[in-house]
Amino acid sequence: MIDLEQRQLDQMLREKRQLIASGVDKEKFGNQCKAKQYPAGSTHAWARDEVWGPIGSAEKENRNASAA
């Protein structure tokens, strides 16, 4: 049996993406993308309920959160 969670994790690491958020379902991800709360190029790993973004996006999110 294929472990989709592991496959998605391997793919995100291969693409050198950074974890931005976890515990985010597909509907919440869609709404937050429309509100531009995630950087461009972010991807939702549906089997893991995680949001992964391009390199450097996690630091930008942390800076934006601390500035608010």
Side-chain angles (χ1 to χ4, degrees):
M1 178 118 187
I2 299 171
D3 185 7
L4 295 176
E5 289 183 23
Q6 186 62 41
R7 181 181 278 184
Q8 284 185 348
L9 178 62
D10 292 343
Q11 178 182 356
M12 296 302 161
L13 294 175
R14 220 178 19 254
E15 294 176 2
K16 295 185 170 79
R17 294 182 170 267
Q18 291 182 330
L19 179 64
I20 296 175
S22 58
V24 179
D25 63 5
K26 188 174 181 177
E27 184 177 337
K28 186 176 179 182
F29 174 72
N31 291 334
Q32 289 179 334
C33 282
K34 289 177 188 174
K36 298 184 180 182
Q37 294 180 350
Y38 293 126
S42 296
T43 303
H44 182 255
W46 56 269
R48 303 181 59 86
D49 281 339
E50 295 175 341
V51 178
W52 292 76
I55 290 184
S57 57
E59 288 84 14
K60 290 177 187 174
E61 288 292 315
N62 290 337
R63 275 188 264 140
N64 291 341
S66 63

